[in-house]
Amino acid sequence: MVTVEPHRAAVLLLHAFPVDARVWAPVAERLAARGYRVVVPDLPGFGSTPVPPSEASVEVMAQQVLGELDRLDIDRVAVAGLSMGGYVLMALLRIAPHRISAIALVDTKMTADAETARETRLEVAARAEREGTADFLVEAMIGNLVGPATRSRQPAVVAEVTQMIRQATPAGVAWAQRAMAGRPDSQGVLSAFDGVGVVVVGADDVISPVDEQAQMAAILADGELIVIPEAGHLSPIENPVAVAAALSDWLGRSGPSVTE
Ligand code: MLT
């Protein structure tokens, strides 16, 4: 868990699968420098947060995040969710909408999985427990997580993402896959949200492509779509300057504003 806190308006950044809070670090630093109190937890099963003993669900992840906000004495927060972090954001909207002041959906999806995708997740979960994850998960995912510009021009980012995937534990990977497999469709909860929203997507995201993200922006009451150049699915670590600028605009539109 990384907390950067100049004690001002709070923003919660939720990470993707199968990485951890470090994927948000370059954006967190920039938002903190602009005066926001930035909270970046490791979701259950990743980084420093252990796998929960309970049945896998995105609601359990959301409950743990709420516990973290309680510990930090944060009542209401603007939330940005990257991919799996977006699914947790949507679970927060289902269980504690009064705690959320604004939403940023970053390279994520509002729909539940189709049956084949669900089956694949359950197979990956079983394989992770059987074989471990370090090799097959890096091979299966790295090409889709980062875009071509990152692959050719940012070897340090590719190396960092690879390291995060390697450090994900088989138990954490399996638990998260089962949690994501069971998540419901969230279109209703997103269209009911009446705060400020933004959808941010890497131009070269092949997991959550731009046309799907445009549909998500269209169902938000007050939402806009921002396409991040030279980024794939992990846009916050691939082009942090552009993602931090997009989130600063969104936070500025949302209030409460950053004050001295
Ligand atoms: C992620 O980046 O969190 C994953 O692509 C989410 C998913 O598997 O649906």
Side-chain angles (χ1 to χ4, degrees), residues 50-99:
V51 177
S54 39
E55 198 174 320
S57 77
V58 289
E59 276 73 20
V60 169
M61 296 195 200
Q63 291 290 3
Q64 289 212 358
V65 168
L66 289 172
E68 199 56 51
L69 294 179
D70 291 344
R71 269 190 292 284
L72 296 169
D73 208 17
I74 295 172
D75 183 34
R76 262 169 80 75
V77 69
V79 187
L82 171 62
S83 199
M84 178 177 75
Y87 310 156
V88 178
L89 185 168
M90 295 171 213
L92 284 167
L93 284 177
R94 285 192 289 280
I95 64 180
H98 55 287
R99 306 283 300 264

Side-chain angles (χ1 to χ4, degrees), residues 62-234:
Q63 291 290 3
Q64 289 212 358
V65 168
L66 289 172
E68 199 56 51
L69 294 179
D70 291 344
R71 269 190 292 284
L72 296 169
D73 208 17
I74 295 172
D75 183 34
R76 262 169 80 75
V77 69
V79 187
L82 171 62
S83 199
M84 178 177 75
Y87 310 156
V88 178
L89 185 168
M90 295 171 213
L92 284 167
L93 284 177
R94 285 192 289 280
I95 64 180
H98 55 287
R99 306 283 300 264
I100 301 180
S101 58
I103 60 173
L105 302 162
V106 186
D107 301 283
T108 191
K109 286 189 175 74
M110 60 186 173
T111 49
D113 283 344
E115 197 46 44
T116 46
R118 197 171 290 134
E119 280 164 14
T120 303
R121 286 195 195 279
L122 300 180
E123 281 161 19
V124 170
R127 186 171 174 193
E129 288 172 334
R130 223 175 32 242
E131 298 176 19
T133 47
D135 291 327
F136 92 83
L137 209 57
V138 171
E139 198 180 311
M141 294 202 72
I142 190 76
N144 288 336
L145 287 177
V146 298
T150 304
R151 281 200 295 279
S152 64
R153 294 204 284 275
Q154 298 198 80
V157 169
V158 176
E160 193 176 356
V161 172
T162 302
Q163 187 187 31
M164 282 190 265
I165 302 173
R166 282 191 184 284
Q167 288 174 347
T169 63
V173 164
W175 194 93
Q177 283 288 18
R178 291 182 181 121
M180 291 190 283
R183 76 188 193 283
D185 184 280
S186 293
Q187 296 181 67
V189 84
L190 289 180
S191 60
F193 181 72
D194 61 2
V196 175
V198 68
V199 175
V200 177
V201 59
D204 302 315
D205 187 344
V206 291
I207 298 178
S208 314
V210 174
D211 56 340
E212 268 181 26
Q213 306 298 294
Q215 289 169 25
M216 196 158 59
I219 74 157
L220 295 176
D222 181 6
E224 65 174 313
L225 175 71
I226 298 180
V227 179
I228 305 294
E230 304 198 336
H233 187 60
L234 297 183

